[in-house]
Amino acid sequence: MSKEEAAIAAAGEFQGCGEVLSATPYGSGHINDTYRVVSRHGNVCGSFILQRINHNIFKNPVALMENIERVTLHMAGKINGQPDGDRRVLKLIPILDGRHWLHDADDNYWRAYNFIERARSYDAVENTGQAFEAGKAFGRFQQMLADLPQPRLQESIPDFHHTPKRLMALERAIAADVANRAASARPEIEFALARRSLVSRLLDADLPERVTHNDTKLNNVLIDDETGEGICVIDLDTVMPGLAAYDFGDMVRTTTSPAREDEQDLSKVKMDFPMFEALLRGYLDAAGAFLTAGEKAVLTLAGKLITFEIGIRFLTDHLSGDTYFKVHRANHNLDRARTQFKLVESIEAQEEKMERLVRSLA
Ligand code: ADP
Ligand code: GN1
Ligand code: MG
């Protein structure tokens, strides 16, 4: 059975799916397999999103799905009654027995969401309006989850943003050099090791734990085609306890550079200051009221540190023979690491100006 055939078979298990016509790979994520499923009810065709959860990476898919159930229900309660409410939060579709995931005979875990129509995600930022809207959407997301009732969410990936542990993993990968790539990645390895003093700075800052998204890439927010609003935050696998700074940091990484994450022409990669300003304004518009002074004080640092952290992770995966992130060409993870490190340099060059802006607005 091909991957698409397996997806079509899985799609047929979800309630109200009708007659499944097709399942087409969708989006540009690095971990899960995402499909847009088209199905027919009588003469009417509709779409939904189907995802196969990568359980080599998410070791406890049921715990992950329980987190998503709680989070989507909580947000739906807040959004209930708002105009366009059903496009503002993901809604899980149940299977016939009422559960929100399917565990198939091949040990795959699947889930399905309503398809948010008339909106799309962007892999690279195009204008300051998008940066503002992305910042605002993720800020609102944190705000809606600030009063999520106990118990604490489960950690879908423990130590996900523990940068010192990410650096230790890089050091292990350099020493093991299983793919024999360390020699050709010397400049990137040196770049990373020269910045070891950076890695513990957020953990040392004594910041409050919150419910955070933890994967706030620009392409994890859907932008409304007509109004340009950041209408729905998606990709909820890593929603778990974290620091607000992790989310803002990953927004800076993906929403201030006009280049894609794997751009090979490094001259195109930079932290664009007007984008940063728009992103910051959008984020503070939604989150400024609940963030503490300590959280506001680390926003620039967060941008640099989280960009550095993801760079370390791409480099580690390159040295380990590309076992974690999906790759589509030779040296793909190395190219991704290079863009992150170029961005870190660009942030370093503008850090004082960024700091001044944060102090004036936050
Ligand atoms: P991944 O973990 O692979 O990044 P995502 O959940 O981000 O998976 O989905 C991949 C892409 O599919 C997104 O960038 C977005 O374009 C699209 N997408 C995901 N969920 C929806 C949805 N409910 N409605 C419309 N498009 C969606
Ligand atoms: C992965 O699933 P996706 O593509 O949205 C990764 C993130 C990285 C990102 C880099 C679970 O996100 O942590 O920042 O790639 N997700 C996981 O693009 O590791
Ligand atoms: Mg995604």
Side-chain angles (χ1 to χ4, degrees):
M1 197 163 31
S2 71
K3 280 180 137 190
E4 273 83 353
E5 284 165 350
I8 288 177
E13 300 290 322
F14 287 84
Q15 280 186 27
C17 64
E19 181 197 352
V20 177
L21 302 180
S22 61
T24 312
Y26 202 67
S28 43
H30 300 333
I31 311 290
N32 293 323
D33 295 334
T34 301
Y35 299 87
R36 179 177 186 157
V37 174
V38 176
S39 67
R40 182 164 60 197
H41 302 260
N43 290 331
V44 183
C45 287
S47 293
F48 62 93
I49 286 282
L50 176 73
Q51 294 181 309
R52 191 174 72 97
I53 301 167
N54 182 335
H55 71 275
N56 290 323
I57 287 176
F58 296 107
K59 306 282 185 208
N60 189 343
V62 172
L64 176 157
M65 289 307 299
E66 286 169 356
N67 279 355
I68 296 181
E69 285 175 334
R70 288 179 55 201
V71 161
T72 51
L73 260 183
H74 186 75
M75 290 193 294
K78 305 217 158 192
I79 283 167
N80 192 14
Q82 280 183 26
D84 239 0
D86 58 344
R87 295 173 68 235
R88 294 182 179 278
V89 61
L90 289 178
K91 189 171 184 345
L92 286 164
I93 302 172
I95 60 170
L96 293 178
D97 71 6
R99 273 178 300 172
H100 287 119
W101 64 90
L102 170 71
H103 186 194
D104 74 13
D106 295 322
D107 199 25
N108 289 312
Y109 286 83
W110 302 85
R111 60 147 179 262
Y113 289 119
N114 61 321
F115 192 92
I116 315 277
E117 304 280 358
R118 308 186 307 285
R120 55 167 285 213
S121 61
Y122 293 79
D123 287 333
V125 68
E126 293 174 351
N127 54 60
T128 51
Q130 290 174 346
F132 181 90
E133 284 297 327
K136 191 168 167 177
F138 284 121
R140 210 187 306 120
F141 181 87
Q142 289 182 339
Q143 187 238 324
M144 283 194 284
L145 293 172
D147 62 348
L148 184 76
Q150 290 295 317
R152 193 172 180 263
L153 289 175
Q154 308 181 70
E155 294 189 40
S156 47
I157 300 182
D159 295 326
F160 192 59
H161 281 299
H162 195 295
T163 320
K165 290 191 181 171
R166 296 295 190 181
L167 183 67
M168 275 154 50
L170 173 64
E171 287 171 329
R172 283 195 301 276
I174 298 168
D177 198 16
V178 292
N180 204 16
R181 292 173 173 174
S184 55
R186 238 328 108 196
E188 290 73 26
I189 291 173
E190 276 165 19
F191 183 96
L193 298 182
R195 283 162 182 75
R196 30 168 100 252
S197 64
L198 194 58
V199 295
S200 57
R201 285 187 53 199
L202 276 179
L203 291 174
D204 290 346
D206 196 23
L207 298 164
E209 180 179 287
R210 296 186 181 280
V211 175
T212 49
H213 183 285
N214 297 303
D215 186 9
T216 52
K217 287 208 273 202
L218 176 65
N219 68 14
N220 284 332
V221 57
L222 297 177
I223 310 262
D224 188 288
D225 292 338
E226 206 175 308
T227 63
E229 183 187 354
I231 190 144
C232 187
V233 166
I234 60 169
D235 205 343
L236 307 177
D237 296 311
T238 52
V239 179
M240 59 182 156
L243 304 182
Y246 299 154
D247 284 357
F248 188 73
D250 208 28
M251 292 180 226
V252 173
R253 180 180 81 82
T254 57
T255 309
T256 64
S257 173
R260 296 168 76 98
E261 184 176 67
D262 59 357
E263 175 60 59
Q264 289 175 294
D265 177 356
L266 292 181
S267 71
K268 295 185 178 157
V269 180
K270 60 164 186 174
M271 207 294 298
D272 181 73
F273 196 81
M275 292 293 183
F276 176 72
E277 174 162 359
L279 175 72
L280 178 67
R281 285 183 185 276
Y283 180 60
L284 291 175
D285 199 45
F290 67 78
L291 292 175
T292 65
E295 289 177 306
K296 290 176 182 169
V298 297
L299 292 175
T300 303
L301 168 66
K304 180 168 69 168
L305 182 49
I306 297 301
T307 306
F308 181 58
E309 179 191 279
I310 314 289
I312 289 179
R313 292 177 58 200
F314 286 141
L315 182 57
T316 304
D317 201 34
H318 174 69
L319 297 174
S320 310
D322 306 312
T323 60
Y324 186 96
F325 298 104
K326 287 182 187 172
V327 287
H328 307 290
R329 61 177 190 242
N331 292 331
H332 205 165
N333 273 314
L334 183 60
D335 289 343
R336 290 170 178 150
R338 286 181 174 146
T339 63
Q340 306 317 299
F341 291 165
K342 175 72 197 295
L343 204 47
V344 169
E345 279 179 337
S346 178
I347 295 172
E348 285 171 347
Q350 301 178 74
E351 222 167 342
E352 285 172 23
K353 199 171 155 201
M354 292 164 77
E355 269 302 296
R356 279 199 297 277
L357 181 71
V358 170
R359 262 184 261 120
S360 72
L361 294 181

